[in-house]
Amino acid sequence: QVQLVESGGGLVQPGGSLRLSCAASGSIFRIYTMGWYSQAPGKQRELVALITRTGITNYRDSVKGRFTISRDNARNTVYLQMNSLKPEDTAVYYCHINTASVGDSWGQGIQVFVSS
């Protein structure tokens, strides 16, 4: 079993910033990719950003230049720095990791709400 604990969400005004964190614990042998997905009301869950164990990153086009994903392998933690937030970024954000031990694991989700 792998547990993912997300933190850092909340309400922010347009143009503001938030930093999401996701700490993994449990039966972790080796974490390959770590990432964040978002799901807005009435929409499918979509990739926001991911980062490989060697630091290669991939971003959704709409967040490029505004969001930065990073990871701390020693702490099994992934971060998402979100700047210049827009109302359309409002969604539930889910942490995702892929490990050699158990494959894919998901966090429970954390709400990000961008509104004035």
Side-chain angles (χ1 to χ4, degrees):
Q1 286 281 359
V2 173
Q3 293 80 43
L4 300 178
V5 178
E6 300 147 325
S7 61
L11 171 65
V12 65
Q13 292 186 339
S17 298
L18 285 174
R19 188 190 193 210
L20 304 183
S21 299
C22 173
S25 62
S27 302
I28 300 171
F29 172 58
R30 178 184 290 270
I31 301 177
Y32 295 129
T33 60
M34 306 182 83
W36 292 93
Y37 289 70
S38 69
Q39 187 167 17
K43 295 187 177 181
Q44 290 187 331
R45 192 175 299 185
E46 297 179 320
L47 174 69
V48 177
L50 64 81
I51 183 167
T52 69
R53 185 171 181 84
T54 58
I56 298 171
T57 58
N58 186 33
Y59 294 92
R60 181 194 300 172
D61 284 347
S62 63
V63 307
K64 288 180 179 177
R66 299 189 298 123
F67 291 10
T68 302
I69 191 169
S70 60
R71 64 189 281 174
D72 184 336
N73 290 331
R75 290 181 169 82
N76 294 326
T77 300
V78 61
Y79 306 96
L80 185 68
Q81 178 67 43
M82 305 187 293
N83 297 329
S84 302
L85 281 160
K86 304 176 181 180
E88 51 263 43
D89 296 319
T90 293
V92 177
Y93 285 71
Y94 295 89
C95 175
H96 170 268
I97 67 171
N98 179 267
T99 68
S101 51
V102 298
D104 293 323
S105 295
W106 292 91
Q108 293 197 348
I110 190 165
Q111 178 71 54
V112 171
F113 193 72
V114 185
S115 175
S116 55

